[in-house]
Amino acid sequence: MSGHVGFESLPDQLVNRSVQQGFCFNILCVGETGIGKSTLIDTLFNTNFEDHESSHFYPHVKLKAQTYELQESNVRLKLTIVNTVGFGDQINKEESYQPVVDYIDAQFEAYLQEELKIKRSLFNYHDSRIHVCLYFISPTGHSLKTLDLLTMKSLDSKVNIIPVIAKADAVSKTELQKFKIKLMSELVSNGVQIYQFPTDDETIAKINASMNGHLPFAVVGSMDEVKVGNKMVKARQYPWGVVQVENENHCDFVKLREMLICTNMEDLREQTHTRHYELYRRCKLEEMGFTDVGPENKPLSLQETYEAKRHEFYGERQRKEEEMKQMFVQRVKEKEAILKEAERELQAKFEHLKRVHQEERMKLEEKRRLLEEEIIAFSKKKATSEIYQNQSFMASGSNLKRDKDRKNSNFM
Protein backbone atom coordinates (compact mmCIF):
# COMPACT_ATOMS: atom_id res chain seq x y z
CA MET A 1 0.00 0.00 0.00
CA SER A 2 1.14 3.50 -0.76
CA GLY A 3 0.00 6.39 1.32
CA HIS A 4 -1.95 6.58 4.56
CA VAL A 5 -5.50 5.17 4.78
CA GLY A 6 -6.17 5.23 8.50
CA PHE A 7 -7.57 1.83 9.51
CA GLU A 8 -4.56 1.38 11.75
CA SER A 9 -6.54 3.35 14.32
CA LEU A 10 -9.18 0.57 14.54
CA PRO A 11 -7.62 -0.97 17.71
CA ASP A 12 -7.74 2.44 19.34
CA GLN A 13 -11.41 2.76 18.37
CA LEU A 14 -12.15 -0.63 19.95
CA VAL A 15 -10.28 0.34 23.10
CA ASN A 16 -12.19 3.63 23.39
CA ARG A 17 -15.52 1.89 22.83
CA SER A 18 -14.73 -0.82 25.37
CA VAL A 19 -13.66 1.76 27.94
CA GLN A 20 -16.89 3.68 27.43
CA GLN A 21 -19.02 0.55 27.66
CA GLY A 22 -17.18 -0.87 30.67
CA PHE A 23 -16.40 -4.48 31.49
CA CYS A 24 -17.99 -7.20 33.56
CA PHE A 25 -16.31 -10.06 35.36
CA ASN A 26 -18.02 -12.78 37.41
CA ILE A 27 -16.19 -14.88 39.98
CA LEU A 28 -17.57 -18.00 41.64
CA CYS A 29 -15.98 -18.88 44.98
CA VAL A 30 -16.48 -22.50 45.98
CA GLY A 31 -15.26 -23.72 49.33
CA GLU A 32 -16.23 -24.66 52.83
CA THR A 33 -17.55 -22.08 55.27
CA GLY A 34 -14.77 -20.19 57.04
CA ILE A 35 -12.02 -21.12 54.60
CA GLY A 36 -11.31 -17.48 53.71
CA LYS A 37 -13.22 -16.87 50.45
CA SER A 38 -14.46 -13.37 51.28
CA THR A 39 -11.12 -12.28 52.75
CA LEU A 40 -9.23 -13.36 49.63
CA ILE A 41 -11.64 -11.50 47.31
CA ASP A 42 -11.29 -8.36 49.43
CA THR A 43 -7.52 -8.67 49.22
CA LEU A 44 -7.51 -9.34 45.46
CA PHE A 45 -9.42 -6.16 44.64
CA ASN A 46 -8.10 -4.16 47.61
CA THR A 47 -11.67 -3.37 48.63
CA ASN A 48 -13.71 -4.15 51.70
CA PHE A 49 -16.81 -5.71 50.20
CA GLU A 50 -19.83 -5.91 52.45
CA ASP A 51 -20.27 -9.55 53.34
CA HIS A 52 -21.80 -11.10 56.44
CA GLU A 53 -20.34 -14.14 58.12
CA SER A 54 -22.12 -17.35 57.16
CA SER A 55 -23.39 -19.96 59.55
CA HIS A 56 -22.35 -23.61 59.53
CA PHE A 57 -25.92 -24.83 60.05
CA TYR A 58 -27.60 -24.32 56.68
CA PRO A 59 -29.62 -27.42 55.69
CA HIS A 60 -28.85 -26.88 52.00
CA VAL A 61 -26.20 -25.20 49.89
CA LYS A 62 -27.16 -21.71 48.71
CA LEU A 63 -25.47 -19.38 46.25
CA LYS A 64 -25.36 -15.68 47.06
CA ALA A 65 -24.47 -13.26 44.27
CA GLN A 66 -23.51 -9.63 44.85
CA THR A 67 -22.55 -7.13 42.16
CA TYR A 68 -20.22 -4.17 42.70
CA GLU A 69 -19.22 -1.22 40.50
CA LEU A 70 -15.44 -0.74 40.60
CA GLN A 71 -13.30 1.83 38.83
CA GLU A 72 -9.54 2.02 38.37
CA SER A 73 -8.23 5.04 36.45
CA ASN A 74 -10.82 5.43 33.66
CA VAL A 75 -11.75 1.73 33.44
CA ARG A 76 -15.09 0.67 34.96
CA LEU A 77 -15.61 -2.95 36.04
CA LYS A 78 -18.92 -4.50 37.05
CA LEU A 79 -17.74 -7.26 39.37
CA THR A 80 -20.09 -10.02 40.53
CA ILE A 81 -19.00 -12.25 43.39
CA VAL A 82 -20.96 -15.49 43.79
CA ASN A 83 -20.33 -17.22 47.09
CA THR A 84 -21.37 -20.72 48.13
CA VAL A 85 -23.09 -20.59 51.51
CA GLY A 86 -23.11 -23.81 53.53
CA PHE A 87 -20.97 -25.78 51.07
CA GLY A 88 -19.73 -28.99 52.70
CA ASP A 89 -21.43 -28.32 56.04
CA GLN A 90 -24.17 -30.94 55.71
CA ILE A 91 -23.79 -34.45 57.05
CA ASN A 92 -24.93 -35.86 53.71
CA LYS A 93 -22.68 -34.20 51.13
CA GLU A 94 -23.91 -36.15 48.10
CA GLU A 95 -25.74 -33.19 46.58
CA SER A 96 -23.59 -30.32 47.83
CA TYR A 97 -22.28 -29.56 44.33
CA GLN A 98 -25.62 -29.79 42.50
CA PRO A 99 -26.82 -26.26 43.41
CA VAL A 100 -23.52 -24.91 42.04
CA VAL A 101 -23.99 -26.76 38.73
CA ASP A 102 -27.61 -25.61 38.53
CA TYR A 103 -26.62 -21.99 39.11
CA ILE A 104 -24.03 -22.02 36.31
CA ASP A 105 -26.51 -23.66 33.92
CA ALA A 106 -29.15 -21.11 34.88
CA GLN A 107 -26.86 -18.24 33.85
CA PHE A 108 -26.12 -19.98 30.52
CA GLU A 109 -29.84 -20.53 29.98
CA ALA A 110 -30.63 -16.87 30.68
CA TYR A 111 -28.04 -15.75 28.10
CA LEU A 112 -29.32 -18.30 25.57
CA GLN A 113 -32.90 -17.11 26.01
CA GLU A 114 -31.75 -13.54 25.41
CA GLU A 115 -29.95 -14.66 22.25
CA LEU A 116 -33.03 -16.47 20.93
CA LYS A 117 -35.32 -13.47 21.35
CA ILE A 118 -36.60 -11.79 18.20
CA LYS A 119 -35.82 -8.39 19.68
CA ARG A 120 -32.69 -8.84 21.73
CA SER A 121 -30.42 -6.37 23.46
CA LEU A 122 -27.16 -8.16 24.15
CA PHE A 123 -25.30 -4.85 24.07
CA ASN A 124 -27.04 -3.72 27.25
CA TYR A 125 -27.53 -7.22 28.68
CA HIS A 126 -25.89 -7.84 32.05
CA ASP A 127 -23.85 -10.96 31.42
CA SER A 128 -24.11 -13.10 34.55
CA ARG A 129 -22.22 -16.12 33.18
CA ILE A 130 -19.46 -17.31 35.50
CA HIS A 131 -16.03 -16.47 34.03
CA VAL A 132 -13.87 -18.17 36.62
CA CYS A 133 -14.32 -20.49 39.57
CA LEU A 134 -11.86 -20.12 42.42
CA TYR A 135 -12.00 -23.50 44.12
CA PHE A 136 -10.70 -23.27 47.69
CA ILE A 137 -8.94 -26.37 48.98
CA SER A 138 -8.38 -26.94 52.69
CA PRO A 139 -4.67 -26.98 53.67
CA THR A 140 -4.78 -30.52 55.02
CA GLY A 141 -1.44 -31.50 53.50
CA HIS A 142 -2.77 -34.95 52.63
CA SER A 143 -5.06 -35.26 49.61
CA LEU A 144 -8.24 -33.95 48.05
CA LYS A 145 -11.55 -34.75 49.64
CA THR A 146 -14.06 -36.79 47.69
CA LEU A 147 -16.41 -33.79 47.67
CA ASP A 148 -13.69 -31.66 46.06
CA LEU A 149 -13.09 -34.21 43.31
CA LEU A 150 -16.79 -34.69 42.58
CA THR A 151 -17.45 -30.96 42.50
CA MET A 152 -14.53 -30.08 40.23
CA LYS A 153 -15.33 -33.01 37.94
CA SER A 154 -18.91 -31.73 37.62
CA LEU A 155 -17.77 -28.16 36.93
CA ASP A 156 -14.75 -28.54 34.65
CA SER A 157 -16.84 -28.59 31.44
CA LYS A 158 -18.94 -25.59 32.54
CA VAL A 159 -16.49 -23.08 34.00
CA ASN A 160 -12.80 -22.18 34.15
CA ILE A 161 -11.51 -23.70 37.40
CA ILE A 162 -8.48 -22.27 39.19
CA PRO A 163 -7.71 -24.30 42.32
CA VAL A 164 -6.23 -22.42 45.26
CA ILE A 165 -4.94 -23.72 48.58
CA ALA A 166 -6.52 -21.47 51.18
CA LYS A 167 -4.77 -20.40 54.39
CA ALA A 168 -1.47 -21.65 53.02
CA ASP A 169 0.35 -20.36 56.12
CA ALA A 170 -1.09 -23.32 58.03
CA VAL A 171 1.51 -25.72 56.56
CA SER A 172 5.25 -25.50 56.06
CA LYS A 173 6.89 -24.77 52.70
CA THR A 174 8.12 -28.33 52.30
CA GLU A 175 4.70 -29.82 53.09
CA LEU A 176 3.07 -27.24 50.83
CA GLN A 177 5.19 -28.20 47.84
CA LYS A 178 4.46 -31.89 48.37
CA PHE A 179 0.78 -31.08 48.79
CA LYS A 180 0.73 -29.19 45.46
CA ILE A 181 2.33 -32.11 43.62
CA LYS A 182 -0.10 -34.58 45.16
CA LEU A 183 -3.11 -32.40 44.31
CA MET A 184 -2.12 -32.04 40.67
CA SER A 185 -1.48 -35.78 40.44
CA GLU A 186 -4.94 -36.53 41.83
CA LEU A 187 -6.59 -34.05 39.46
CA VAL A 188 -4.87 -35.61 36.45
CA SER A 189 -5.59 -39.20 37.52
CA ASN A 190 -9.28 -38.36 38.03
CA GLY A 191 -9.59 -36.56 34.70
CA VAL A 192 -10.36 -33.12 36.16
CA GLN A 193 -9.64 -30.38 33.63
CA ILE A 194 -8.56 -27.17 35.36
CA TYR A 195 -7.95 -23.87 33.58
CA GLN A 196 -4.55 -23.60 31.92
CA PHE A 197 -3.18 -20.13 31.29
CA PRO A 198 -2.88 -19.63 27.50
CA THR A 199 0.52 -19.80 25.85
CA ASP A 200 -0.47 -18.91 22.27
CA ASP A 201 0.29 -15.20 22.73
CA GLU A 202 4.02 -14.63 22.50
CA THR A 203 3.92 -11.63 24.82
CA ILE A 204 2.57 -13.63 27.77
CA ALA A 205 3.44 -17.20 26.74
CA LYS A 206 6.54 -17.39 28.93
CA ILE A 207 4.99 -16.06 32.11
CA ASN A 208 1.81 -18.13 31.63
CA ALA A 209 3.78 -21.31 31.02
CA SER A 210 5.73 -20.65 34.18
CA MET A 211 2.56 -19.97 36.19
CA ASN A 212 0.95 -23.20 34.95
CA GLY A 213 3.71 -24.98 36.81
CA HIS A 214 2.77 -23.25 40.07
CA LEU A 215 -0.84 -24.47 40.10
CA PRO A 216 -2.60 -24.78 42.47
CA PHE A 217 -1.76 -21.42 44.00
CA ALA A 218 -1.14 -21.39 47.74
CA VAL A 219 -2.62 -18.12 48.97
CA VAL A 220 -3.05 -16.07 52.12
CA GLY A 221 -5.56 -13.24 52.34
CA SER A 222 -5.66 -10.31 54.73
CA MET A 223 -6.74 -6.68 54.74
CA ASP A 224 -4.85 -5.95 57.95
CA GLU A 225 -1.77 -3.76 57.63
CA VAL A 226 1.36 -4.51 59.64
CA LYS A 227 4.47 -2.41 59.78
CA VAL A 228 7.46 -4.28 58.39
CA GLY A 229 10.62 -2.23 58.32
CA ASN A 230 9.68 1.28 57.27
CA LYS A 231 6.48 0.52 55.38
CA MET A 232 3.01 -0.82 56.02
CA VAL A 233 2.14 -4.08 54.23
CA LYS A 234 -0.88 -6.37 54.13
CA ALA A 235 -0.03 -9.30 56.34
CA ARG A 236 -1.15 -11.72 59.00
CA GLN A 237 0.68 -11.34 62.27
CA TYR A 238 1.34 -14.35 64.49
CA PRO A 239 3.27 -14.76 67.73
CA TRP A 240 6.07 -16.40 65.77
CA GLY A 241 6.26 -13.80 62.97
CA VAL A 242 4.51 -12.03 60.11
CA VAL A 243 3.17 -13.58 56.89
CA GLN A 244 3.20 -10.93 54.15
CA VAL A 245 0.40 -11.35 51.64
CA GLU A 246 2.25 -9.69 48.76
CA ASN A 247 5.60 -11.33 49.45
CA GLU A 248 6.11 -14.11 46.88
CA ASN A 249 8.44 -15.90 49.27
CA HIS A 250 5.54 -16.28 51.70
CA CYS A 251 2.64 -17.24 49.40
CA ASP A 252 1.35 -17.19 45.81
CA PHE A 253 -1.11 -14.33 46.24
CA VAL A 254 0.72 -12.01 43.84
CA LYS A 255 0.89 -14.77 41.23
CA LEU A 256 -2.84 -15.39 41.51
CA ARG A 257 -3.68 -11.69 41.24
CA GLU A 258 -1.37 -11.24 38.29
CA MET A 259 -2.74 -14.24 36.40
CA LEU A 260 -6.38 -13.69 37.27
CA ILE A 261 -6.74 -9.93 36.89
CA CYS A 262 -3.79 -8.36 35.13
CA THR A 263 -2.92 -10.94 32.47
CA ASN A 264 -5.72 -13.38 31.69
CA MET A 265 -9.05 -11.76 32.65
CA GLU A 266 -10.03 -11.25 29.00
CA ASP A 267 -9.01 -14.82 28.11
CA LEU A 268 -11.19 -16.12 30.94
CA ARG A 269 -14.13 -14.13 29.53
CA GLU A 270 -13.43 -15.40 26.03
CA GLN A 271 -13.04 -19.02 27.12
CA THR A 272 -16.36 -18.79 28.95
CA HIS A 273 -18.12 -17.62 25.78
CA THR A 274 -16.35 -19.66 23.09
CA ARG A 275 -15.90 -22.92 24.98
CA HIS A 276 -18.21 -23.44 27.93
CA TYR A 277 -21.21 -21.44 26.74
CA GLU A 278 -20.94 -22.80 23.19
CA LEU A 279 -20.91 -26.35 24.57
CA TYR A 280 -24.04 -25.64 26.63
CA ARG A 281 -25.71 -23.90 23.67
CA ARG A 282 -24.93 -26.76 21.27
CA CYS A 283 -26.21 -29.43 23.67
CA LYS A 284 -29.34 -27.41 24.39
CA LEU A 285 -30.15 -26.84 20.70
CA GLU A 286 -29.51 -30.50 19.91
CA GLU A 287 -31.95 -31.46 22.66
CA MET A 288 -34.47 -29.17 20.98
CA GLY A 289 -33.92 -31.02 17.68
CA PHE A 290 -31.85 -28.46 15.77
CA THR A 291 -29.03 -29.80 13.59
CA ASP A 292 -26.64 -28.31 11.04
CA VAL A 293 -26.92 -31.18 8.52
CA GLY A 294 -29.76 -33.36 7.32
CA PRO A 295 -30.02 -37.15 6.95
CA GLU A 296 -27.81 -37.07 3.85
CA ASN A 297 -25.25 -34.75 5.46
CA LYS A 298 -26.63 -31.82 3.51
CA PRO A 299 -26.59 -28.40 5.18
CA LEU A 300 -29.88 -27.43 6.73
CA SER A 301 -31.07 -23.89 7.28
CA LEU A 302 -32.80 -22.84 10.47
CA GLN A 303 -36.08 -22.58 8.57
CA GLU A 304 -35.78 -26.13 7.22
CA THR A 305 -34.92 -27.45 10.66
CA TYR A 306 -37.86 -25.56 12.09
CA GLU A 307 -40.26 -26.93 9.46
CA ALA A 308 -39.00 -30.48 9.93
CA LYS A 309 -39.33 -30.17 13.69
CA ARG A 310 -42.77 -28.64 13.26
CA HIS A 311 -43.97 -31.55 11.08
CA GLU A 312 -42.44 -34.02 13.51
CA PHE A 313 -44.13 -32.30 16.42
CA TYR A 314 -47.45 -32.13 14.53
CA GLY A 315 -47.28 -35.85 13.72
CA GLU A 316 -46.34 -36.67 17.28
CA ARG A 317 -49.20 -34.54 18.54
CA GLN A 318 -51.69 -36.27 16.22
CA ARG A 319 -50.39 -39.65 17.31
CA LYS A 320 -50.77 -38.72 20.96
CA GLU A 321 -54.26 -37.31 20.30
CA GLU A 322 -55.27 -40.58 18.62
CA GLU A 323 -53.83 -42.55 21.52
CA MET A 324 -55.70 -40.33 23.96
CA LYS A 325 -58.94 -40.76 21.99
CA GLN A 326 -58.57 -44.53 21.95
CA MET A 327 -57.72 -44.51 25.62
CA PHE A 328 -60.75 -42.30 26.30
CA VAL A 329 -63.06 -44.59 24.31
CA GLN A 330 -61.64 -47.63 26.10
CA ARG A 331 -62.13 -46.00 29.48
CA VAL A 332 -65.69 -44.98 28.54
CA LYS A 333 -66.46 -48.56 27.53
CA GLU A 334 -64.96 -49.88 30.74
CA LYS A 335 -66.96 -47.34 32.72
CA GLU A 336 -70.15 -48.23 30.85
CA ALA A 337 -69.58 -51.93 31.54
CA ILE A 338 -69.04 -51.16 35.22
CA LEU A 339 -72.21 -49.02 35.31
CA LYS A 340 -74.24 -51.69 33.51
CA GLU A 341 -73.03 -54.34 35.91
CA ALA A 342 -73.91 -52.07 38.82
CA GLU A 343 -77.33 -51.48 37.24
CA ARG A 344 -77.93 -55.23 36.91
CA GLU A 345 -76.94 -55.75 40.50
CA LEU A 346 -79.29 -52.97 41.61
CA GLN A 347 -82.13 -54.41 39.51
CA ALA A 348 -81.59 -57.89 40.95
CA LYS A 349 -81.52 -56.44 44.43
CA PHE A 350 -84.71 -54.50 43.69
CA GLU A 351 -86.48 -57.63 42.41
CA HIS A 352 -85.35 -59.57 45.46
CA LEU A 353 -86.62 -56.86 47.79
CA LYS A 354 -89.86 -56.68 45.82
CA ARG A 355 -90.41 -60.43 46.23
CA VAL A 356 -89.61 -60.25 49.92
CA HIS A 357 -92.05 -57.36 50.26
CA GLN A 358 -94.81 -59.29 48.49
CA GLU A 359 -94.22 -62.34 50.67
CA GLU A 360 -94.31 -60.22 53.81
CA ARG A 361 -97.47 -58.51 52.56
CA MET A 362 -99.18 -61.87 51.90
CA LYS A 363 -98.21 -63.07 55.38
CA LEU A 364 -99.64 -59.91 56.89
CA GLU A 365 -102.88 -60.32 54.89
CA GLU A 366 -103.19 -63.90 56.10
CA LYS A 367 -102.62 -62.85 59.69
CA ARG A 368 -105.15 -60.06 59.24
CA ARG A 369 -107.76 -62.52 57.87
CA LEU A 370 -107.19 -64.93 60.75
CA LEU A 371 -107.41 -62.06 63.21
CA GLU A 372 -110.70 -60.90 61.71
CA GLU A 373 -112.11 -64.45 61.90
CA GLU A 374 -111.05 -64.66 65.53
CA ILE A 375 -112.73 -61.29 66.18
CA ILE A 376 -115.98 -62.51 64.54
CA ALA A 377 -115.90 -65.78 66.51
CA PHE A 378 -115.21 -63.85 69.68
CA SER A 379 -118.10 -61.49 68.93
CA LYS A 380 -120.46 -64.46 68.41
CA LYS A 381 -119.34 -66.02 71.67
CA LYS A 382 -119.82 -62.73 73.45
CA ALA A 383 -123.35 -62.32 72.07
CA THR A 384 -124.27 -65.90 73.05
CA SER A 385 -122.82 -65.33 76.48
CA GLU A 386 -124.86 -62.17 76.91
CA ILE A 387 -128.07 -64.01 75.87
CA TYR A 388 -127.38 -66.76 78.40
CA GLN A 389 -126.72 -64.19 81.09
CA ASN A 390 -130.03 -62.38 80.32
CA GLN A 391 -132.03 -65.61 80.41
CA SER A 392 -130.43 -66.60 83.71
CA PHE A 393 -131.17 -63.20 85.19
CA MET A 394 -134.79 -63.31 84.07
CA ALA A 395 -135.22 -66.82 85.45
CA SER A 396 -133.76 -65.90 88.79
CA GLY A 397 -136.03 -62.81 88.90
CA SER A 398 -139.21 -64.85 88.35
CA ASN A 399 -138.16 -67.32 91.07
CA LEU A 400 -137.62 -64.54 93.56
CA LYS A 401 -141.08 -63.11 92.81
CA ARG A 402 -142.70 -66.52 93.25
CA ASP A 403 -141.00 -67.04 96.62
CA LYS A 404 -142.11 -63.59 97.76
CA ASP A 405 -145.71 -64.25 96.82
CA ARG A 406 -145.60 -67.55 98.68
CA LYS A 407 -144.33 -65.93 101.84
CA ASN A 408 -147.03 -63.29 101.72
CA SER A 409 -149.84 -65.89 101.39
CA ASN A 410 -148.50 -67.85 104.31
CA PHE A 411 -148.45 -64.78 106.52
CA MET A 412 -152.09 -64.03 105.77
Side-chain angles (χ1 to χ4, degrees):
M1 293 181 64
S2 59
H4 177 73
V5 177
F7 58 79
E8 65 180 8
S9 66
L10 182 58
D12 297 329
Q13 297 175 34
L14 291 175
V15 169
N16 293 333
R17 183 178 179 183
S18 298
V19 169
Q20 291 177 2
Q21 184 180 356
F23 301 89
C24 73
F25 193 63
N26 306 320
I27 301 176
L28 171 64
C29 299
V30 180
E32 298 176 357
T33 306
I35 204 170
K37 302 186 291 295
S38 301
T39 304
L40 181 64
I41 294 297
D42 291 348
T43 313
L44 279 173
F45 291 93
N46 197 24
T47 305
N48 285 312
F49 297 112
E50 295 180 1
D51 193 13
H52 302 286
E53 292 185 1
S54 299
S55 170
H56 286 270
F57 302 102
Y58 286 100
H60 305 289
V61 177
K62 298 180 181 179
L63 279 86
K64 182 175 65 175
Q66 292 183 327
T67 302
Y68 307 94
E69 297 281 351
L70 305 180
Q71 183 166 347
E72 188 175 34
S73 298
N74 64 334
V75 178
R76 291 179 294 108
L77 177 66
K78 183 178 286 187
L79 177 67
T80 300
I81 307 297
V82 183
N83 199 357
T84 53
V85 180
F87 182 81
D89 290 338
Q90 294 76 30
I91 296 177
N92 185 1
K93 300 179 175 59
E94 291 181 356
E95 297 183 358
S96 293
Y97 62 88
Q98 193 58 45
V100 183
V101 176
D102 294 340
Y103 180 85
I104 296 174
D105 286 342
Q107 310 318 306
F108 283 153
E109 182 64 25
Y111 192 88
L112 177 61
Q113 292 301 321
E114 183 65 27
E115 270 193 336
L116 295 177
K117 286 182 180 179
I118 296 176
K119 186 179 180 180
R120 56 186 183 175
S121 56
L122 292 175
F123 179 78
N124 297 323
Y125 179 76
H126 174 55
D127 188 3
S128 59
R129 296 173 297 178
I130 300 299
H131 299 125
V132 63
C133 170
L134 295 180
Y135 196 92
F136 290 74
I137 300 171
S138 299
T140 60
H142 299 289
S143 60
L144 281 171
K145 299 178 181 179
T146 304
L147 177 61
D148 296 332
L149 286 173
L150 288 174
T151 304
M152 283 193 276
K153 185 64 178 176
S154 302
L155 297 178
D156 62 358
S157 62
K158 299 177 180 293
V159 68
N160 303 309
I161 300 177
I162 298 180
V164 295
I165 301 173
K167 298 182 178 180
D169 52 346
V171 291
S172 65
K173 281 189 175 181
T174 305
E175 292 175 339
L176 191 60
Q177 193 59 33
K178 292 180 180 179
F179 189 36
K180 281 187 174 184
I181 295 173
K182 190 165 188 178
L183 291 182
M184 290 304 297
S185 174
E186 289 182 346
L187 292 175
V188 172
S189 62
N190 287 277
V192 178
Q193 299 292 327
I194 64 173
Y195 176 73
Q196 294 291 317
F197 302 116
T199 57
D200 50 356
D201 187 351
E202 294 180 358
T203 58
I204 58 174
K206 186 175 181 180
I207 182 67
N208 277 351
S210 174
M211 291 298 105
N212 283 329
H214 285 83
L215 290 172
F217 292 128
V219 296
V220 176
S222 176
M223 291 296 289
D224 299 331
E225 292 190 348
V226 178
K227 189 173 183 179
V228 177
N230 296 324
K231 61 179 181 178
M232 301 296 291
V233 297
K234 289 184 174 62
R236 299 184 73 89
Q237 191 167 16
Y238 296 98
W240 46 263
V242 175
V243 177
Q244 300 179 36
V245 173
E246 296 179 329
N247 189 334
E248 295 192 44
N249 292 323
H250 291 182
C251 68
D252 296 332
F253 173 80
V254 175
K255 295 183 178 67
L256 174 63
R257 185 176 62 187
E258 182 74 20
M259 291 295 98
L260 179 65
I261 300 174
C262 304
T263 307
N264 298 299
M265 180 180 283
E266 182 57 31
D267 183 72
L268 288 165
R269 287 158 42 90
E270 183 181 353
Q271 286 290 324
T272 298
H273 182 77
T274 59
R275 180 187 169 194
H276 301 297
Y277 170 69
E278 284 299 320
L279 175 61
Y280 176 86
R281 176 179 174 274
R282 177 168 60 85
C283 294
K284 199 70 176 180
L285 292 178
E286 286 177 352
E287 288 178 5
M288 296 168 63
F290 292 98
T291 57
D292 294 328
V293 294
E296 298 178 0
N297 291 329
K298 292 182 179 180
L300 284 178
S301 66
L302 183 63
Q303 181 66 25
E304 291 173 339
T305 305
Y306 170 76
E307 290 295 335
K309 196 66 181 174
R310 181 174 177 273
H311 288 305
E312 180 184 350
F313 175 76
Y314 183 74
E316 183 69 15
R317 189 186 68 177
Q318 284 187 326
R319 185 183 64 81
K320 287 187 177 180
E321 285 181 355
E322 187 63 30
E323 288 180 357
M324 291 178 67
K325 286 180 181 179
Q326 292 179 359
M327 188 179 298
F328 178 75
V329 171
Q330 181 66 24
R331 288 185 177 179
V332 168
K333 290 181 178 178
E334 292 176 357
K335 196 67 176 177
E336 286 180 350
I338 293 173
L339 290 174
K340 287 181 178 179
E341 182 64 26
E343 184 180 2
R344 284 195 296 268
E345 291 179 357
L346 287 174
Q347 186 64 30
K349 190 173 182 180
F350 174 74
E351 294 294 335
H352 174 70
L353 291 175
K354 187 177 179 181
R355 288 194 302 270
V356 171
H357 176 69
Q358 289 178 350
E359 291 176 357
E360 292 292 332
R361 185 176 179 181
M362 291 176 65
K363 289 179 180 179
L364 288 173
E365 290 293 336
E366 180 66 22
K367 287 182 178 180
R368 181 181 178 182
R369 185 182 61 80
L370 294 174
L371 183 60
E372 289 178 350
E373 290 179 355
E374 288 180 359
I375 291 172
I376 294 171
F378 178 76
S379 298
K380 289 180 178 180
K381 289 180 179 180
K382 182 178 180 183
T384 305
S385 175
E386 289 177 351
I387 293 171
Y388 287 156
Q389 286 180 356
N390 291 333
Q391 291 177 356
S392 299
F393 179 76
M394 291 176 66
S396 59
S398 59
N399 290 331
L400 286 173
K401 187 177 181 183
R402 192 180 297 115
D403 291 337
K404 187 177 180 182
D405 292 340
R406 188 181 298 119
K407 287 181 180 180
N408 289 333
S409 60
N410 291 328
F411 178 74
M412 291 177 66

